[in-house]
Amino acid sequence: MTLQPLATAVHRAYTADLDAEDFYRMLRLRVDVFVVEQECPYPELDGRDLEETTRHFWIDSADGYVLGYLRLLEDPDGTFHIGRVCTAKSARGLGLGRKLMRAAVAEVQHSPAVLAAQTYAKEFYRSFGFVEDGEEYLEDGIPHVDMRREPRRRP
C-alpha cells in the first residue's frame, strides 16, 4: 500500500450507489482500525450502513486502498451523526481526517450534527465547531464524550 492519496480527493456516496468492492474496502479499514488496532471486539456491522440516507466519505490511495473514511447518518428529526472517522495507520499525519470532516460538515452545515468523540480527539472536533455535550464515558474500554454542532443559519 502506498501512502500517497489519489489527489486526496474526498469521495462521497450513498450506500446504494457503492459497488461491493468499494464498500468492502471501507468496511475493511473500519475493522482494521476499530476492532483490530484498538482491540475493541464490538459489532462493527450495526445495520446503519444500509439505511437509505447513509452517506460514506472516503479517500483512496493511488493503488486502491481506502486511507481515510467517515460515515454520515441522518435521523428522522434531521440530526446528522458523524461517525466511524478513521485513517489507516500508515497514512496518519497527512491531514486526511481533516479533509473528510470538512466535507461532512459542509454537507450538514444547516442541520444539527452530533458525534461520539474519543476524548483524545476532542480538540480536533472542536476545530469544526463541535462542543462537548455531556460527561466523559467509557465505550468498549475507550474514553469518549458526546459532542454537538449547532446548525448555521442560512443567509
Side-chain angles (χ1 to χ4, degrees):
M1 168 172 55
T2 66
L3 293 181
Q4 187 59 41
L6 183 59
T8 64
V10 174
H11 304 282
R12 174 204 169 277
Y14 288 93
T15 306
D17 298 326
L18 292 172
D19 65 36
E21 185 177 330
D22 284 340
F23 196 34
Y24 174 86
R25 292 182 310 116
M26 292 171 208
L27 294 173
R28 180 168 183 169
L29 176 63
R30 286 170 30 183
V31 168
D32 285 350
V33 171
F34 298 121
V35 178
V36 177
E37 182 183 333
Q38 294 184 354
E39 298 178 356
C40 293
Y42 73 102
E44 167 57 26
L45 302 178
D46 61 3
R48 297 225 48 199
D49 291 304
L50 301 178
E51 293 174 3
E52 187 175 300
T53 58
T54 297
R55 295 159 218 181
H56 305 270
F57 293 76
W58 75 100
I59 297 172
D60 283 326
S61 69
D63 55 354
Y65 288 91
V66 174
L67 296 178
Y69 172 88
L70 71 73
R71 172 174 87 170
L72 184 63
L73 306 173
E74 185 175 356
D75 285 343
D77 70 358
T79 300
F80 286 89
H81 294 259
I82 296 173
R84 304 301 203 264
V85 181
C86 58
T87 303
K89 192 173 189 176
S90 60
R92 293 187 188 140
L94 299 176
L96 303 183
R98 188 161 295 284
K99 283 189 75 121
L100 290 163
M101 281 296 297
R102 274 198 295 264
V105 167
E107 183 148 335
V108 302
Q109 65 181 315
H110 299 297
S111 301
V114 297
L115 54 82
Q118 293 185 5
T119 55
Y120 79 88
K122 285 189 302 190
E123 293 304 318
F124 173 73
Y125 294 116
R126 281 185 185 141
S127 73
F128 296 100
F130 285 85
V131 296
E132 293 174 48
D133 188 26
E135 299 298 316
E136 186 176 300
Y137 59 92
L138 284 179
E139 183 172 319
D140 299 313
I142 297 173
H144 283 72
V145 65
D146 291 333
M147 299 186 81
R148 181 175 185 83
R149 185 179 187 281
E150 295 302 327
R152 289 205 173 136
R153 293 188 178 167
R154 295 183 191 272

